[in-house]
Amino acid sequence: MTGHVLVAPDKFKGSLTAPEVAEAVASGVRGRVPDVEVRCVPVADGGDGTVRAALATGMFEGLRVRVTGPTGRRVRAEAAVNADTAVVELAAASGLELLTPGEFDPLAASSFGTGELIRAALDRGVRTIVLGVGGSACTDGGAGMLAALGARFRDAAGEPLPRGGGSLGRLAGVDLSELDARLSEVDLVLASDVDNPLCGDGGAARVYGPQKGGGPEEVRALDAALERFAAVVDRATGRSLAEAAGAGAAGGVGYGAMAVLSAVSRPGSDVVLELAGFDRHLDGADLVVTGEGALDEQTLRGKVPAAVASRAVGGGVPAVAVTGRCSLSARELSEGGFSAVYALSHVQPDARRSLREASGLLRVLGEHLAEDWL
């Protein structure tokens, strides 16, 4: 072997972070082939884990701040920053994982803390902000985020609206005159892995509202509120972006970011791969290892493993995947660019044990793929 092995997985949700997955696989590979060079480049798709992936490159430092969580409780959130760029993760400030099921509040949950995190990044003087969206607890169209950045939302009586998507049905006017002036001096990149519009059957409330605790009546109310929100914001901005791909991301934060902050939406996996310098590490590689907790149909729709495999194949390098379980057919795997898949379920059929023992099992899979490929 003359080159190196590039290990670039996403997290195994509920079990291991992407850096932990990468290190476990690398340990197994090195255990079988001690003299091999293994480069770990953990990645993400724009959701939770995006900041960790940026920090793992060694080119960013952590920025820890206290912000307002989705239901008003103060939480500690972290962004990744360097001299030019900040990586902000909505999940860290406004994420569903910050709440227990009993705390879910679909009508009142807000993205306000995400705006506070963006403001902290602006304080560092960056020129580019990557906003990774996914895993949000709110369905407020990004109104909370915008309010934290200076926007004002009022009802017909001129009174400020309470936070949360449920109140947007009473929205009568928006004032953007006090929006943080520094926003006009930065490029905002919306890193997302979804292409939903803001409203309707495929929109933020109907598709993702139930995951955030919304019952049928609450989902209908939120969808109508987002329609009202878009109508008012469209009049204020002269834009019409409610139908844009990605407008429904993170409970409509995608819409707020694009319509008011002029964010440019890009596939989250591609953004993170660029931040991680993936193509540079791919050069000269003999094998690429990627993966995530489950390989299924969603994987092939822009998730990290598919993006990594596509780049590997484009560079003439075979790509294999590690996963907890795989429901893709051999044909689907081949069409997705995967030369082989190594699943924890093949080593440990008990799903609960597999989840608990994922690190050790991934080391075993690392040994197996080293035997097969190196």
Side-chain angles (χ1 to χ4, degrees):
M1 181 175 178
T2 57
H4 59 274
V5 176
L6 177 55
V7 183
D10 198 352
K11 62 186 175 298
F12 276 35
K13 192 165 188 176
S15 181
L16 299 173
T17 65
E20 289 169 340
V21 173
E23 188 49 47
V25 172
S27 177
V29 171
R30 294 187 187 107
R32 188 61 64 189
V33 187
D35 61 345
V36 67
E37 179 187 356
V38 183
R39 299 184 188 178
C40 293
V41 182
V43 288
D45 61 9
D48 56 308
T50 298
V51 166
R52 281 197 193 99
L55 293 174
T57 66
M59 296 183 291
F60 291 84
E61 63 175 304
L63 171 63
R64 297 177 181 85
V65 294
R66 290 188 67 80
V67 300
T68 306
T71 57
R73 174 168 49 85
R74 299 290 284 177
V75 299
R76 188 172 295 279
E78 184 175 30
V81 297
N82 60 26
D84 184 68
T85 301
V87 181
V88 173
E89 189 177 296
L90 177 142
S94 311
L96 201 60
E97 291 191 357
L98 296 172
L99 308 175
T100 64
E103 292 181 295
F104 290 4
D105 197 345
L107 295 177
S110 169
S111 59
F112 193 87
T114 297
E116 292 177 310
L117 204 49
I118 291 173
R119 202 169 62 218
L122 291 171
D123 290 342
R124 296 293 293 264
V126 298
R127 306 295 299 180
T128 299
I129 297 177
V130 174
L131 175 58
V133 294
S136 75
C138 52
T139 310
D140 71 348
M145 171 188 69
L146 297 172
L149 293 168
R152 297 292 175 259
F153 301 95
R154 302 187 185 279
D155 63 17
E159 294 298 319
L161 287 181
R163 294 173 193 167
S167 70
L168 296 177
R170 307 197 307 275
L171 180 65
V174 55
D175 179 1
L176 303 177
S177 64
E178 295 183 24
L179 205 63
D180 194 316
R182 295 173 298 178
L183 289 163
S184 64
E185 301 171 359
V186 300
D187 294 321
L188 185 63
V189 178
L190 185 71
S192 172
D193 68 342
V194 303
D195 57 5
N196 304 74
L198 180 63
C199 306
D201 289 341
R206 295 189 184 274
V207 175
Y208 301 108
Q211 300 172 10
K212 304 170 188 182
E217 290 187 9
E218 291 167 315
V219 166
R220 284 193 291 272
L222 286 167
D223 189 54
L226 289 176
E227 285 191 23
R228 177 67 179 170
F229 178 65
V232 174
V233 171
D234 284 354
R235 285 200 303 269
T237 63
R239 298 174 178 174
S240 182
L241 292 172
E243 294 296 321
V253 166
Y255 167 79
M258 290 189 289
V260 178
L261 306 182
S262 301
V264 175
S265 181
R266 294 189 57 208
S269 298
D270 287 344
V271 173
V272 178
L273 287 173
E274 289 172 15
L275 286 172
F278 179 84
D279 290 344
R280 172 170 51 84
H281 290 291
L282 179 64
D283 187 28
D286 288 325
L287 178 69
V288 171
V289 184
T290 187
E292 63 181 348
L295 291 184
D296 52 29
E297 289 185 358
Q298 290 296 319
T299 302
L300 304 180
R301 297 176 184 169
K303 292 286 191 177
V304 165
V308 169
S310 175
R311 292 199 180 203
V313 170
V317 182
V320 302
V322 293
T323 186
R325 56 180 175 80
C326 178
S327 59
L328 296 174
S329 67
R331 178 178 178 179
E332 289 172 322
L333 289 167
S334 178
E335 290 176 349
F338 302 102
S339 296
V341 171
Y342 298 80
L344 301 186
S345 58
H346 296 160
V347 181
Q348 175 50 262
D350 186 317
R352 285 177 295 183
R353 286 191 61 185
S354 179
L355 195 66
R356 290 196 309 267
E357 302 169 9
S359 184
L361 294 172
L362 280 168
R363 284 194 290 271
V364 173
L365 295 186
E367 293 175 358
H368 289 178
L369 66 88
E371 290 170 357
D372 293 342
W373 291 90
L374 304 182

